[in-house]
Amino acid sequence: MSGLNLNTGRAISGLDHLRQSIADILTTPIGSRLQRRTYGSQLPELIDAPFNNATRLLAYAATAMALMRWEPRIRLNKVAFTQGNDAGTWYLDITCTPIDSNESQNLQIPLAMGAA
């Protein structure tokens, strides 16, 4: 599948398009899209929660549920969080298998709106 890069407006496809799609799903609060009220994930609701084991488990569940519903091009294998170099910067490391290639991929998704 192909589409447009949100930042540059240029055409993207393959893993870049998949990465952008996943980031859009996970950073969109449920109920914020007028024509698609159920689109998005519950991750934005967890933004101010303390980052402990309970919140981490909720975040993993929110990620899995949103991707199973809204991203049919992948099978999710593993989800993990990593902290970036800057304080407060977090990434979601997703190991998934794209349906069309059946080859496991590691995608790092920034947990910020509009981040590339």
Side-chain angles (χ1 to χ4, degrees):
M1 180 171 267
S2 62
L4 296 178
N5 184 303
L6 290 174
N7 298 317
T8 65
R10 294 179 187 249
I12 59 171
S13 61
L15 287 179
D16 290 332
H17 187 266
L18 190 58
R19 188 177 293 110
Q20 178 177 281
S21 244
I22 290 172
D24 184 64
I25 292 166
L26 296 178
T27 58
T28 300
I30 292 175
S32 64
R33 295 265 176 106
L34 293 178
Q35 297 294 319
R36 296 171 91 182
R37 292 286 185 189
T38 58
Y39 179 82
S41 79
Q42 294 175 326
L43 273 181
E45 295 175 20
L46 301 173
I47 230 153
D48 289 329
F51 198 65
N52 55 28
N53 288 336
T55 305
R56 188 174 308 204
L57 186 60
L58 288 171
Y60 291 155
T63 300
M65 289 181 346
L67 293 181
M68 284 190 309
R69 178 160 191 189
W70 294 109
E71 190 48 79
R73 297 178 290 169
I74 63 167
R75 278 193 321 264
L76 190 62
N77 300 332
K78 181 181 174 184
V79 176
F81 286 99
T82 52
Q83 189 169 13
N85 295 335
D86 301 329
T89 305
W90 287 89
Y91 295 92
L92 201 54
D93 292 322
I94 295 176
T95 304
C96 63
T97 306
I99 301 299
D100 61 349
S101 72
N102 207 24
E103 184 178 315
S104 185
Q105 299 289 332
N106 296 316
L107 306 175
Q108 191 173 63
I109 309 298
L111 291 177
M113 296 298 257

